[in-house]
Amino acid sequence: MKQPLIADIGTHVDSVVTIQGWLDGRRASGRLAFLIVRDGTGVLQCTVSAADVSPELLAVATRIGQETSLRVTGKVRAEARARGGYEMTVTDLQLIQEVHDYPITRKEHGPAFLMAHRHLWLRSSRQVAILRIRATIVRAIRSFLDDEGFTLIDSPILTGNAAEGTTTLFSTEYFDQTAYLSQSGQLYVEAAAMALGRVYCFGPTFRAERSSTRRHLNEFWMVEPEMAFFDLDDSLALQERLIANIVAEVLDRHGTDLAALERDTERLRAVVPPFPRVSYDDAIAMLRARGDEIAWGDDFGAPHETYISDQFDRPVFVHRYPARSKAFYMKPDPARPEVALCADLLASEGYGEIIGGSQRVDDLALLEARIQEHGLSAEQFAWYLDLRRYGTVPHSGFGLGIERLVAWICGIHHVRETIPFARTLDRLYP
Ligand code: 4AD
Ligand code: MG
């Protein structure tokens, strides 16, 4: 007896097979029961008829509830009207566990209820589609960078210094010292770039941000490429190719999942280089022209970013932000030191900043001054300063937030649905 996956069921037409899975839904009408079975790779309509099974088995098929775990055996047929295009005529049905009180029902549940039942919510077809696309996105990023000659470098989670400001640190005891959960692997990949040229880290990062918005998580995954001898323009050219490549890969492999998510794929097909580049100055001018009271030097809020990205059909780079509002490691533009050689990539359709990147300060004296201005400890950063002492070179890098990228590509409103178990201000369970 074969035990194929539902995804491959089309190769078993006219054979008798056994599928193992869970009951996703059921319709019964007298002498017939239609079981919708899912196994994680797809769903299959399984028809249980009085003509093929005993009255006892038909009674079982008519009474079992959603998420009953089971094995169904029967002959596979092509059936254009069934979801997925195939159907099974059941000859045997074996229950692994019969369920009647599954908490997530067909009715509408609020996000608080669903997040509290996230361990079960993951089984819904929408969540499965999102997680499958997330896995493809991660693989696309890794294979793109690997093919471009990058080396994967794992950066530490427990760190002794802050990379992205001291206000969003999670701290923990580390024997007789204090350790911080990593906000970014950047400083470590800068060291590795001086050893290997082009590198990236890919892992979870932590920010103790007290903001609960649709774009913020307290634990999120970030890929951070770092490139020796790249200036800001080189980095932007790499970023747009990376993003276009990821989107193309998802479009290629996940038509069904994107359809299940009701994603407008025309918007995704427009994501081809070159992406527009707008300076911070011009972005301020655009916002003021539509009547916003925003001054040079102000940060953009979500509505500002949405307005800017709405002006374009693909993601847009906003570059050269005021240096004083940006991280200590960003290189000032030599032509205009009040702005930094940095850029954020804003996704279309209001998804906001998906990439933040910059060219790095490569001069020792300037970096020392910046560390001091930011109130950071020169002692904690002694190792980082060494990188500017021994063979410093121009270099650039960026951080791409996986959850925001997944949200945008899938068209999901809130990032909490783009990671298996989101960590937000009010959620550590499950
Ligand atoms: O702009 P950020 O803070 O940049 C860095 O951490 C740099 N060290 C990256 C680098 O140059 N190597 O974060 C980068 C990206 C953002 O553009 C966003 O996509 C994501 O990380 N991100 C978050 N995603 C979800 N929740 C949060 N709280 C996030 N904070 C940043
Ligand atoms: Mg940023």
Side-chain angles (χ1 to χ4, degrees):
M1 188 80 53
K2 299 175 199 145
Q3 289 193 3
L5 298 172
I6 293 175
D8 306 324
I9 204 74
T11 61
H12 297 277
V13 172
D14 292 333
S15 315
V16 173
V17 297
T18 296
I19 293 288
Q20 316 190 78
W22 296 265
L23 186 68
D24 201 43
R26 179 171 52 73
R27 278 186 300 121
S29 65
R31 293 161 54 78
L32 267 184
F34 297 101
L35 306 181
I36 305 297
V37 174
R38 66 168 179 85
D39 72 348
T41 73
V43 293
L44 182 65
Q45 174 170 301
C46 303
T47 306
V48 188
S49 157
D52 307 307
V53 300
S54 67
E56 292 74 29
L57 216 58
L58 183 61
V60 168
T62 313
R63 84 170 181 242
I64 54 178
Q66 189 181 345
E67 298 311 316
T68 290
S69 45
L70 42 71
R71 294 188 188 93
V72 280
T73 301
K75 193 182 234 184
V76 180
R77 293 190 301 114
E79 171 55 71
R81 286 167 304 172
R83 236 166 99 192
Y86 300 95
E87 195 190 47
M88 174 188 276
T89 305
V90 175
T91 48
D92 193 21
L93 171 65
Q94 225 186 314
L95 303 188
I96 302 171
Q97 184 183 42
E98 183 167 348
V99 171
H100 285 287
D101 48 1
Y102 188 60
I104 301 181
T105 59
R106 295 276 174 231
K107 71 166 205 214
E108 284 279 312
H109 295 288
F113 177 88
L114 290 171
M115 286 306 286
H117 292 83
R118 183 65 174 163
H119 50 296
L120 302 177
W121 189 25
L122 289 182
R123 303 179 188 191
S124 81
S125 55
R126 262 175 73 82
Q127 301 307 315
V128 166
I130 296 167
L131 294 179
R132 282 159 48 85
I133 292 174
R134 179 184 169 111
T136 291
I137 287 173
V138 170
R139 190 177 46 219
I141 293 169
R142 297 178 70 123
S143 62
F144 176 88
L145 293 173
D146 293 347
D147 289 350
E148 293 278 323
F150 281 73
T151 302
L152 173 69
I153 295 293
D154 301 313
S155 56
I157 304 283
L158 293 168
T159 65
N161 45 246
E164 295 298 327
T166 49
T167 55
T168 63
L169 287 170
F170 281 112
S171 57
T172 182
E173 269 174 40
Y174 190 75
F175 308 109
D176 50 359
Q177 299 183 61
T178 300
Y180 307 108
L181 299 187
S182 176
Q183 300 164 305
S184 157
Q186 179 194 319
L187 307 185
Y188 297 99
V189 286
E190 282 188 60
M194 302 303 132
L196 294 128
R198 296 181 190 183
V199 297
Y200 67 101
C201 61
F202 202 144
T205 47
F206 307 85
R207 308 261 170 114
E209 284 167 315
R210 292 194 171 272
S211 41
S212 41
T213 79
R214 54 179 283 217
R215 301 170 178 185
H216 285 89
L217 294 169
N218 296 104
E219 176 178 307
F220 62 96
W221 284 66
M222 185 158 53
V223 59
E224 294 183 89
E226 191 72 30
M227 298 77 68
F229 307 107
F230 267 47
D231 64 15
L232 181 64
D233 289 338
D234 298 328
S235 178
L236 299 193
L238 179 77
Q239 290 171 42
E240 62 191 359
R241 284 200 298 120
L242 169 64
I243 295 294
N245 199 277
I246 297 165
V247 169
E249 187 75 10
V250 172
L251 281 170
D252 191 40
R253 303 175 64 104
H254 290 281
T256 309
D257 290 326
L258 291 168
L261 296 169
E262 294 170 16
R263 181 66 169 108
D264 176 0
T265 49
E266 281 317 302
R267 296 297 305 257
L268 295 178
R269 285 185 209 288
V271 182
V272 267
F275 297 169
R277 287 146 169 80
V278 175
S279 69
Y280 171 87
D281 294 6
D282 288 345
I284 290 284
M286 280 166 63
L287 292 166
R288 292 178 69 104
R290 72 142 186 182
D292 283 358
E293 282 185 27
I294 189 164
W296 197 94
D298 289 352
D299 281 338
F300 295 144
H304 299 129
E305 289 184 352
T306 301
Y307 177 75
I308 297 163
S309 61
D310 276 351
Q311 307 314 304
F312 304 94
D313 69 342
R314 62 198 79 189
V316 51
F317 288 115
V318 179
H319 61 90
R320 290 178 174 76
Y321 287 79
R324 65 165 189 260
S325 64
K326 287 289 183 181
F328 74 95
Y329 52 71
M330 292 186 180
K331 185 181 172 88
D333 187 343
R336 250 185 95 195
E338 71 275 20
V339 297
L341 290 175
C342 66
D344 286 351
L345 183 65
L346 309 183
S348 26
E349 300 158 84
Y351 283 93
E353 179 198 328
I354 55 171
I355 293 182
S358 65
Q359 190 165 335
R360 320 305 191 187
V361 173
D362 46 29
D363 178 75
L364 177 63
L366 181 58
L367 189 56
E368 282 172 333
R370 299 280 294 174
I371 286 174
Q372 202 178 16
E373 276 164 35
H374 281 252
L376 301 167
S377 128
E379 202 188 336
Q380 296 283 313
F381 286 95
W383 68 269
Y384 184 65
L385 288 162
D386 269 354
L387 307 176
R388 278 68 178 173
R389 223 173 246 128
Y390 305 110
T392 189
V393 299
H395 62 289
S396 299
F398 60 94
L400 167 58
I402 301 306
E403 289 73 22
R404 290 188 190 173
L405 177 69
V406 175
W408 165 57
I409 291 179
C410 291
I412 298 297
H413 181 73
H414 200 295
V415 287
R416 68 183 159 223
E417 283 185 59
T418 65
I419 184 165
F421 293 95
R423 294 291 169 246
T424 55
L425 203 47
D426 56 0
R427 186 156 301 286
L428 201 52
Y429 171 95

